[in-house]
Amino acid sequence: MYQQVAWIVSIVLIALLAIAFFYVVKHSGREGNGAAVAAATGRWRGRLLWGVTLLSIPVVAYTLTELPYARSAIANLGTVEVQAKGYQWYWEISQTKLPVGKPIEFQVTSADVNHGFAIYGPDMKIVTQTQAMPGVVNVLRHTFEQPGTYKILCLEYCGVAHHSMMTELHVVAQ
Amino acid sequence: MNMQNEMPAVGAVKVYAAISGVVILLMMLFGLVMRMTQGQILPIEPNVFYQLMTAHGIGMVAIAGLGGSAVMWHFLGKYVNLRAGFAWANLAFFLTGVVLVLGGIFLGGFAAAWTFLYPLPANGMGMWGKHAAAAYMGGVLLVGVGMLLFYLESARAIIRKYGSFAKALGWHFLKSGQDAPPATVIASTVVTIINIIAILIGAVILTMMLINLYVPEIAIHPLLAKNLIFLFGHVFINSTIYMAVIAVYEILPKYTGRPWNVYKPFVWAWSATCLMVLTVYPHHLLMDYAQPLWMHIMGQIVSYTSSLPVLALTLTATLGSIYRSNIKWDLTSALLVLSIFGWSAGVIPAVIDGTIAVNQVMHNTLWVPGHFHLYLLLGCVTMILAFTNWIANKEQAAGFSGLEKAMLWVFAISAFAYALMFLLSGQASVPRRWAVHLPEWLAYSQVASLFAAGVVISAMAIIVRAMGGIIRPARQA
């Protein structure tokens, strides 16, 4: 969902920006009252600053309420633990058949260099991700809502066969 | 105090601009080849693709730095006394570093991406050896040393003229409302402060990694290394825009007849940027869950706030200076206005990606090059092209031929569409830095290749034309 939101919001805002530029460039030819234009510019500057600030505060506050960072100290009853380790250039996953509707805790690390542990849904869109870093365990919690074949793709460049570093998860109804 | 020392572009600035033009064009060609390879139009092997990718990344960062430095050196030199020897020393270190970097990549096979993320440079898996990695990292270190000399000289000159960084930032103006430093001096002071810090941090991590390369027992914590690399990289690449935008502050008023006035929010904005650009880099590590939570939250919040002040003021001031100004349009002024659009447009998807919830599904997809191609290609590079064109025209407004208008429109539309194709691909979860794309992603790369070709052709026309203007007077002399 966030992919579509990001795309639509970006396109709409960039279009508004483009309209502002076209309007101003179109009206750049005939010289106007410099003082009046400067005053209008000041008003628009204030509107932009206040507008963006007022818009950003609720967006930032709302989006910070749902953070993906699982605290390893918080134990979830019924969580399925999966160890995932990245190697140049393959994944070692302790369990690839996973249940639908149950929280899964991926404990992600790397044996060599940095990798990116991204879970792609059956529609080949990212559903969640974390980094796989040597010497560090990143805890990623996710509950699969739909059964199907999910793919793990490496999203952190890790050498010549980076693009081949894929494996599959099979999410099944219980 | 703020009398301008009007003088024409001198040797070092012209050489910087000429090198920038040539390298920008070469890097654009690398970009075209990479997109054509991803679209399976060109049969390039993955090892060569990743070498080109590494060269394209470090080449663009370095040349944006050099091009931005040309702008800053040229205009700052009108207010403070800069010693040309430091510009030449920077260039000597730059060229020596570039030779090492290119040798490491194309002779040694080094291809760990420009970010040289620890410990990948030491783990080439037979693709490159440790000497190639050392050549690359040593080369980047040398480029950094040259840049550090450059900024130390600008720091010396600014302090000598204004007495302190505080005065050069205009803090006295906030109290008294009098004797504001020029916008160029304020921006240059911010860049000087943040880049001295960033380059020193970059030098620390590069030196640590060079030691680790030959003495693996001396290991570095990968998360610490990543923090240091992105702190250095983020600040340095942001500074390239902050240097290049000086061209807008200095040149645009000559076309509009409206001076770029310094007022209190402008001073506040640049001072705030000085702090925020140093603290925003954790947004690059939002998917490193082991990073402290407060750093993630700071990364998101500062992402929203850091871009806003200077950009909002520069954007509104640019539009305000054009509106009903009877501006004289030529290639330079058109590129300057286009560059502010590119910078502003790029910040929108960048800030959105700085939202943790969005980053979780967009991180390291093609969304990322989407936003940075908007504010680097259509922003920073366009500012540098405008500056190059300006000095090629002997710092005067020129005519605007039909051919130039056509070049400009092809460049603007191609670069914009090229960046949008990245964003569209990122929205479809296409990963960045993949040499081989899955069949369902090929169409994105193929369409993007068309726009990339448009960028290369139009930029070539703009750059070749500007090069002629820069070289010709020297020949006549």
Side-chain angles (χ1 to χ4, degrees):
Chain A
M1 179 195 79
Y2 276 114
Q3 284 103 329
Q4 282 75 20
V5 171
W7 170 250
I8 291 166
V9 171
S10 295
I11 290 302
V12 168
L13 293 179
I14 290 172
L16 287 175
L17 187 72
I19 290 167
F21 269 82
F22 274 116
Y23 178 82
V24 169
V25 168
K26 192 166 184 280
H27 293 85
S28 63
R30 196 163 49 84
E31 194 162 353
N33 182 330
V37 172
T41 303
R43 286 195 297 277
W44 276 104
R45 184 174 62 231
R47 284 174 196 151
L48 182 66
L49 283 169
W50 279 110
V52 174
T53 304
L54 292 175
L55 189 69
S56 297
I57 290 172
V59 170
V60 170
Y62 173 74
T63 55
L64 284 177
T65 58
E66 281 189 48
L67 296 180
Y69 311 116
R71 301 289 92 192
S72 53
I74 303 170
N76 273 2
L77 282 176
T79 298
V80 178
E81 289 187 8
V82 177
Q83 281 77 42
K85 198 174 209 176
Y87 295 79
Q88 287 172 307
W89 292 279
Y90 61 96
W91 292 104
E92 190 180 84
I93 314 261
S94 64
Q95 186 181 340
T96 55
K97 192 174 171 185
L98 299 170
V100 146
K102 262 193 155 184
I104 314 290
E105 180 175 294
F106 293 97
Q107 296 163 358
V108 183
T109 189
S110 166
D112 37 49
V113 300
N114 290 282
H115 302 280
F117 181 84
I119 302 176
Y120 277 66
D123 61 352
M124 280 307 283
K125 284 212 168 184
I126 298 171
V127 293
T128 189
Q129 66 170 305
T130 187
Q131 290 274 294
M133 180 178 272
V136 172
V137 177
N138 286 318
V139 178
L140 170 69
R141 290 214 175 101
H142 184 73
T143 303
F144 292 97
E145 306 292 346
Q146 300 291 333
T149 300
Y150 290 69
K151 283 193 167 68
I152 309 289
L153 270 61
C154 181
L155 284 199
E156 186 65 62
Y157 175 65
C158 58
V160 70
H162 164 58
H163 54 275
S164 305
M165 199 170 153
M166 279 187 257
T167 191
E168 289 183 350
L169 294 175
H170 302 284
V171 177
V172 292
Q174 284 186 308
Chain B
M1 187 173 180
N2 297 325
M3 284 282 287
Q4 283 194 32
N5 173 23
E6 288 290 352
M7 56 182 184
V10 289
V13 170
K14 287 188 173 181
V15 174
Y16 275 37
I19 292 174
S20 299
V22 172
V23 176
I24 283 169
L25 197 54
L26 185 64
M27 293 304 119
M28 286 175 171
L29 275 170
F30 284 5
L32 170 63
V33 169
M34 284 192 288
R35 291 303 267 154
M36 290 176 76
T37 304
Q38 289 171 328
Q40 293 188 4
I41 302 168
L42 279 181
I44 302 284
E45 292 297 318
N47 62 325
V48 177
F49 175 93
Y50 290 126
Q51 287 170 18
L52 288 173
M53 182 188 82
T54 303
H56 177 81
I58 194 66
M60 275 316 306
V61 171
I63 211 62
L66 194 78
S69 302
V71 176
M72 177 174 146
W73 188 269
H74 180 62
F75 291 114
L76 181 63
K78 296 184 177 188
Y79 303 103
V80 303
N81 184 25
L82 295 166
R83 292 173 294 188
F86 283 85
W88 291 112
N90 178 28
L91 189 63
F93 275 102
F94 181 89
L95 294 175
T96 311
V98 165
V99 169
L100 278 172
V101 165
L102 292 178
I105 294 172
F106 293 114
L107 298 178
F110 181 80
W114 86 267
T115 45
F116 53 89
L117 199 55
Y118 177 86
L120 182 57
N123 289 268
M125 297 286 279
M127 196 174 159
W128 66 83
K130 62 183 176 184
H131 298 315
Y136 176 89
M137 292 193 290
V140 174
L141 190 57
L142 278 183
V143 171
V145 169
M147 291 282 181
L148 186 60
L149 285 175
F150 176 92
Y151 292 117
L152 288 173
E153 170 59 7
S154 68
R156 182 205 62 76
I158 288 168
I159 290 172
R160 190 178 179 92
K161 174 76 179 281
Y162 291 92
S164 67
F165 279 151
K167 285 186 178 166
L169 287 169
W171 288 358
H172 62 285
F173 174 69
L174 294 174
K175 288 183 194 167
S176 66
Q178 291 185 340
D179 206 16
T184 295
V185 172
I186 294 173
S188 300
T189 305
V190 169
V191 171
T192 298
I193 294 168
I194 61 179
N195 255 355
I196 287 175
I197 295 170
I199 290 170
L200 286 173
I201 289 168
V204 166
I205 185 61
L206 280 164
T207 307
M208 287 163 74
M209 287 177 66
L210 280 165
I211 293 169
N212 169 265
L213 210 52
Y214 291 97
V215 191
E217 295 77 14
I218 303 177
I220 311 163
H221 193 288
L223 193 54
L224 171 66
K226 193 171 181 181
N227 273 273
L228 294 176
I229 289 169
F230 278 97
L231 173 49
F232 154 68
H234 180 90
V235 174
F236 189 85
I237 196 63
N238 267 252
S239 297
T240 65
I241 304 176
Y242 298 150
M243 290 190 288
V245 77
I246 292 170
V248 177
Y249 297 164
E250 290 283 345
I251 300 172
L252 201 56
K254 293 182 167 45
Y255 285 87
T256 60
R258 291 176 180 163
W260 197 283
N261 291 323
V262 170
Y263 44 95
K264 288 183 181 178
F266 187 87
V267 173
W268 277 113
W270 272 101
S271 293
T273 295
C274 199
L275 179 67
M276 287 191 288
V277 78
L278 289 167
T279 52
V280 72
Y281 83 89
H283 68 193
H284 292 282
L285 286 87
L286 295 175
M287 292 301 104
D288 287 279
Y289 287 23
Q291 182 94 328
L293 183 62
W294 65 267
M295 291 186 83
H296 291 309
I297 293 171
M298 180 178 79
Q300 173 168 333
I301 293 173
V302 183
S303 288
Y304 275 72
T305 57
S306 72
S307 327
L308 183 61
V310 166
L311 176 61
L313 300 191
T314 304
L315 169 64
T316 48
T318 300
L319 293 176
S321 70
I322 301 166
Y323 186 68
R324 298 211 164 165
S325 65
N326 198 20
I327 183 174
K328 178 168 175 44
W329 288 109
D330 70 1
L331 191 55
T332 301
S333 57
L335 285 169
L336 287 172
V337 173
L338 178 64
S339 73
I340 296 300
F341 170 75
W343 182 20
S344 311
V347 163
I348 293 165
V351 170
I352 289 172
D353 192 32
T355 311
I356 295 166
V358 174
N359 197 259
Q360 199 179 0
V361 292
M362 291 295 205
H363 183 72
N364 278 348
T365 66
L366 286 178
W367 187 268
V368 183
H371 65 66
F372 73 64
H373 275 85
L374 274 173
Y375 58 67
L376 290 179
L377 171 58
L378 210 49
C380 184
V381 166
T382 305
M383 290 169 193
I384 293 169
L385 292 182
F387 173 72
T388 307
N389 204 62
W390 174 246
I391 61 170
N393 288 334
K394 302 185 185 69
E395 304 193 45
Q396 288 172 347
F400 203 6
S401 69
L403 179 64
E404 287 169 336
K405 285 178 185 165
M407 279 163 15
L408 176 84
W409 277 106
V410 173
F411 177 75
I413 292 169
S414 303
F416 183 62
Y418 181 65
L420 281 191
M421 286 310 297
F422 273 134
L423 292 177
L424 189 63
S425 308
Q427 179 268 154
S429 294
V430 182
R432 72 185 293 205
R433 293 177 173 154
W434 272 41
V436 182
H437 278 188
L438 299 180
E440 57 263 48
W441 299 333
L442 294 183
Y444 295 111
S445 310
Q446 290 164 351
V447 175
S449 299
L450 278 176
F451 295 124
V455 172
V456 170
I457 292 165
S458 54
M460 187 186 294
I462 293 169
I463 290 167
V464 167
R465 187 191 161 285
M467 289 301 117
I470 290 173
I471 294 165
R472 204 174 301 124
R475 279 190 184 155
Q476 285 168 356

